[in-house]
Amino acid sequence: MVKNKVKLRVKQETGFQFDEAIKTLRTNIQFCGANIRTIMVTSTLPEEGKSTMSFEIARAMALMGKKVILIDADIRRSTMAAKYQIDNPVPGLSQYLSGQHELEDGLICETDIPDLDVIFSGPYAPNPAELLEEPALDKLIAWCREEYDYCIIDTPPLSSVIDGAIIAPKCDGAVLVVASGKVSYPLVQKAKAQLEKTGCRILGAVLNKIDTKKGGYYYNKYGSYYKHYGDYYGGEK
């Protein structure tokens, strides 16, 4: 398998609060069961921090020696390649799903983080939902299940487009990122119900962008804190 080698320009976050929040999230995902290996990360609205959390989950898993692949499936509005400042253009998911590139054409990017590979979204496509329904995506995910310990998939927000609902049935579980103060409780409940209709198990929620001045939780520098799904939604499983 030919891989493109890329260097990610990752902003290094340090500090006990940040590390503990990510480790808590990683540990809770692991305790969901050994069969939970393909995980989608989504949100209700744009700009709730789902892409950052997708990357942090993938990196945290890789740093403990797991073989991980991160798939950027937000082919409508991806910011991942720009955020991590990839120098050279590489083939992406949209080109693979549309038949322009094969898996062997350098679609898999080997990063400078040991055990972490990435598939970037590729150029914007005018028909993302149709592309995500292509059998090629099922083939790709099946291949990832064979080659990696974990496959983390960053998907578009649920309230904006249908893309996330298309991907959900192909995954073992979902993590919902919720920005504090940005999204209403009824809207989050609507996103939760939409996920449940797909049959995808909801693993938990990440409460993000909290005002750290209020205290009371362990926060990271982004104000992110992982809270178990049963607690966040009032004990409902």
Side-chain angles (χ1 to χ4, degrees):
M1 174 67 65
V2 176
K3 295 183 180 180
N4 273 304
K5 293 188 176 182
V6 297
K7 181 177 178 60
L8 303 178
R9 290 170 174 79
V10 181
K11 181 180 179 182
Q12 295 296 320
E13 298 295 339
T14 58
F16 175 81
Q17 295 175 340
F18 177 82
D19 292 340
E20 288 303 303
I22 297 301
K23 287 177 183 177
T24 300
L25 174 54
R26 179 184 66 189
T27 300
N28 277 280
I29 289 174
Q30 289 181 298
F31 272 109
C32 287
N35 61 324
I36 304 299
R37 298 173 53 225
T38 301
I39 302 164
M40 66 176 282
V41 181
T42 189
S43 61
T44 303
L45 299 173
E47 300 181 4
E48 291 193 78
K50 65 170 182 62
S51 295
T52 295
M53 206 52 59
S54 298
F55 178 80
E56 292 299 339
I57 292 171
R59 178 165 65 163
M61 292 294 189
L63 289 177
M64 65 177 297
K66 299 296 183 181
K67 193 176 179 183
V68 183
I69 187 165
L70 171 62
I71 301 177
D72 181 4
D74 192 351
I75 56 180
R76 292 178 187 264
R77 191 172 176 264
S78 176
T79 60
M80 195 169 290
K83 180 175 182 178
Y84 298 112
Q85 299 178 28
I86 305 304
D87 292 329
N88 301 316
V90 294
L93 183 63
S94 61
Q95 294 158 302
Y96 167 75
L97 295 178
S98 60
Q100 300 176 54
H101 284 279
E102 296 296 328
L103 191 60
E104 297 80 9
D105 295 340
L107 186 72
I108 311 297
C109 292
E110 179 183 338
T111 75
D112 53 332
I113 298 173
D115 296 315
L116 177 60
D117 291 346
V118 177
I119 296 177
F120 291 98
S121 64
Y124 168 79
N127 56 338
E130 288 81 0
L131 287 180
L132 293 171
E133 289 178 329
E134 289 289 330
L137 182 59
D138 296 290
K139 178 182 175 182
L140 176 62
I141 292 176
W143 180 84
C144 291
R145 286 181 184 274
E146 292 292 326
E147 297 293 326
Y148 295 88
D149 297 312
Y150 287 97
C151 175
I152 310 299
I153 306 178
D154 179 26
T155 70
L158 290 166
S159 68
S160 304
V161 291
I162 198 173
D163 302 16
I166 294 172
I167 296 170
K170 309 175 191 297
C171 300
D172 302 322
V175 172
L176 183 63
V177 177
V178 181
S180 178
K182 178 178 176 64
V183 58
S184 68
Y185 179 80
L187 200 54
V188 174
Q189 288 293 305
K190 184 177 179 181
K192 168 179 170 283
Q194 187 175 0
L195 269 177
E196 289 175 335
K197 287 179 182 178
T198 69
C200 183
R201 177 181 170 187
I202 304 177
L203 305 178
V206 175
L207 189 58
N208 199 27
K209 300 187 178 181
I210 299 170
D211 184 356
T212 58
K213 296 180 181 179
K214 293 183 179 180
Y217 295 105
Y218 288 108
Y219 304 105
N220 65 27
K221 290 186 178 181
Y222 295 118
S224 301
Y225 175 74
Y226 180 79
K227 194 166 179 62
H228 188 270
Y229 173 74
D231 296 332
Y232 187 80
Y233 289 107
E236 183 181 355
K237 299 297 184 181

